[in-house]
Amino acid sequence: MSDSDIAARFDTAAGVQAYVQDRLRDFSPAGGTTRLPEGNLNIVWRVPGRERSVVLKYAPPHIAVDPDTPLDPSRLTIEARCLEALGPGGRLAPAGSPPVRPPRLIDFQENPHVLIMEDCGEVPTLGRWLQVENRANLPSDAPTVGRHLGRFIGRLHRDTFGDPNCATMFDNRPMQETRQAVQYQNVVKMLRAGGVDDATPLGERAAALGGALLEPGGCVTMGDLWPSSVLVRSEGLRIIDWELAHYGRPLQDVAHLVAHLWMQRHRAPSDAIADAVEALQEAFLEAYRTALGATYDELWDAAERRGAAVHFGAEILVRAVGPFQAGYIYDGLAPGHPAVQEAVTTAAHFLRSPEAVDLVSGTRKR
């Protein structure tokens, strides 16, 4: 079957439903199969069934929304390994707990790369959940969510620290190369778009970090820890989209989430929501540090703290003036907009003085 035939199969509800029935012989479809709008890298569908609903994810050999940009489909192999390892009886199952886990893996094949997993339901992402201002228990719920998430990520980093088997199983260099090309190497361009005078040396610092992140690190990282990857259910959190997971460095989880929480707080529609985001972040960091235990000092040395500050700045830039602005917090705002300028100024500060910030402890050195 040609690439175009494969793509056509996963471009229609009928084709997707037929594929699921072929792979899952006990599956009886019920209701309409719908494509989920959240899929940017991959093509994602929800397939309702009489006894259970499933989610299908197909990884084309390019970015789903940008066919001209190649992307290694083995990213879905990494995701399948993560779901299996963190699932019941998996080698990383102890890192999870009932309140926090990824979806259950149901089926996976590599040619083409197609994954079928548990459907977590039509529930809000963390970003949408935080915007419900009139929820009376938001001030208490936000720290609880932060603690659960921090404990889970801390255990994941701790339990995989220095594990050679995980280093082999979760080697995801192709996706790290994509991140280097799309994000870190473009920091100069993004800073210039934001009007930063010293864009060149700051961009070189970001590109150097991206190059260092191509090498194996010290633990398994989720790789894409931002509000859209966290689903908030009444019975707990579900962490989705593991295709960027990598045996890498913890800064790509912690600094990534903290950068997004900064942006959520920056553009919060009210002080109450901004306070809830801050409380969630504080609870996340405290639970994360506690969960790391004795591995904290080994994982978070001075170089890691500096790198975290650089990644923090690079992530804000890619969302404020870079290729991932659309559909997010600064969507449609010109580079000269006051909110964008505040974001760029903050990003530049972290890139300029990374040794002055310790994101994981939530403090700034003086």
Side-chain angles (χ1 to χ4, degrees):
M1 185 179 292
S2 68
D3 289 345
S4 59
D5 290 337
I6 292 171
R9 183 176 193 180
F10 297 105
D11 198 41
T12 66
V16 167
Q17 191 175 100
Y19 177 88
V20 171
Q21 287 184 276
D22 181 59
R23 298 291 296 186
L24 308 179
R25 297 294 180 162
D26 61 342
F27 184 83
S28 299
T33 296
T34 56
R35 186 164 174 175
L36 301 182
E38 291 82 3
N40 292 319
L41 298 182
N42 309 295
I43 294 174
V44 186
W45 292 82
R46 171 175 285 120
V47 186
R50 289 192 176 90
E51 296 182 358
R52 59 175 175 171
S53 295
V54 300
V55 168
L56 176 144
K57 181 181 286 190
Y58 160 60
H62 53 75
I63 295 177
V65 297
D66 183 11
D68 293 331
T69 302
L71 194 63
D72 194 325
S74 67
R75 61 190 184 271
L76 223 56
T77 301
I78 294 293
E79 178 162 9
R81 289 174 182 173
C82 288
L83 301 192
E84 182 176 28
L86 287 160
R91 62 183 298 133
L92 302 181
S97 60
V100 188
R101 63 172 177 82
R104 303 298 190 206
L105 176 65
I106 297 174
D107 182 72
F108 176 66
Q109 72 164 348
E110 287 193 317
N111 188 23
H113 285 75
V114 185
L115 185 152
I116 301 175
M117 71 189 96
E118 168 193 17
D119 180 12
C120 296
E122 296 184 27
V123 295
T125 64
L126 179 59
R128 293 173 183 167
W129 180 84
L130 283 166
Q131 301 305 310
V132 184
E133 182 178 9
N134 60 357
R135 191 171 61 249
N137 52 349
L138 179 61
S140 60
D141 284 350
T144 299
V145 168
R147 280 191 292 273
H148 287 323
L149 190 56
R151 188 178 302 118
F152 173 78
I153 296 298
R155 287 173 175 173
L156 177 66
H157 292 178
R158 178 197 68 195
D159 293 352
T160 59
F161 175 62
D163 186 329
N165 292 323
C166 286
T168 300
M169 183 179 298
F170 301 105
D171 179 8
N172 199 5
R173 185 183 176 98
M175 290 303 292
Q176 290 295 100
E177 290 173 345
T178 297
R179 297 181 81 159
Q180 166 72 324
V182 173
Q183 182 172 35
Y184 302 114
Q185 287 184 339
N186 279 329
V187 164
V188 171
K189 180 180 178 180
M190 291 185 281
L191 286 169
R192 286 175 178 164
V196 176
D197 292 336
D198 55 342
T200 298
L202 300 187
E204 290 173 351
R205 180 168 289 166
L209 174 66
L213 292 172
L214 295 176
E215 301 305 319
C219 64
V220 172
T221 59
M222 189 271 166
D224 197 20
L225 191 64
W226 68 305
S228 292
S229 294
V230 181
L231 303 181
V232 184
R233 295 164 52 106
S234 58
E235 66 270 32
L237 307 179
R238 298 293 178 265
I239 314 301
I240 62 172
D241 295 339
W242 289 77
E243 60 259 49
L244 269 67
H246 179 58
Y247 197 79
R249 291 170 55 178
L251 70 88
Q252 279 192 305
D253 281 343
V254 177
H256 202 74
L257 180 63
V258 173
H260 280 274
L261 294 178
W262 183 92
M263 289 183 275
Q264 293 279 337
R265 192 166 63 250
H266 182 220
R267 298 290 286 165
S270 71
D271 289 342
I273 290 177
D275 291 344
V277 175
E278 184 173 8
L280 186 153
Q281 176 177 309
E282 291 176 354
F284 167 81
L285 290 171
E286 181 179 2
Y288 173 76
R289 293 191 301 267
T290 300
L292 283 183
T295 63
Y296 176 87
D297 290 334
E298 293 181 273
L299 280 171
W300 284 93
D301 58 13
E304 197 69 16
R305 292 192 294 271
R306 289 194 300 271
V310 173
H311 179 80
F312 177 94
E315 184 61 20
I316 290 177
L317 288 171
V318 82
R319 298 289 177 174
V321 288
F324 301 147
Q325 186 200 52
Y328 200 54
I329 289 174
Y330 305 98
D331 186 15
L333 301 183
H337 188 282
V340 174
Q341 281 297 297
E342 290 173 3
V344 170
T345 297
T346 297
H349 167 72
F350 277 73
L351 286 161
R352 196 175 288 122
S353 305
E355 69 286 342
V357 183
D358 185 353
L359 285 175
V360 75
S361 70
T363 61
R364 295 193 181 193
K365 300 176 182 178
R366 297 186 181 275

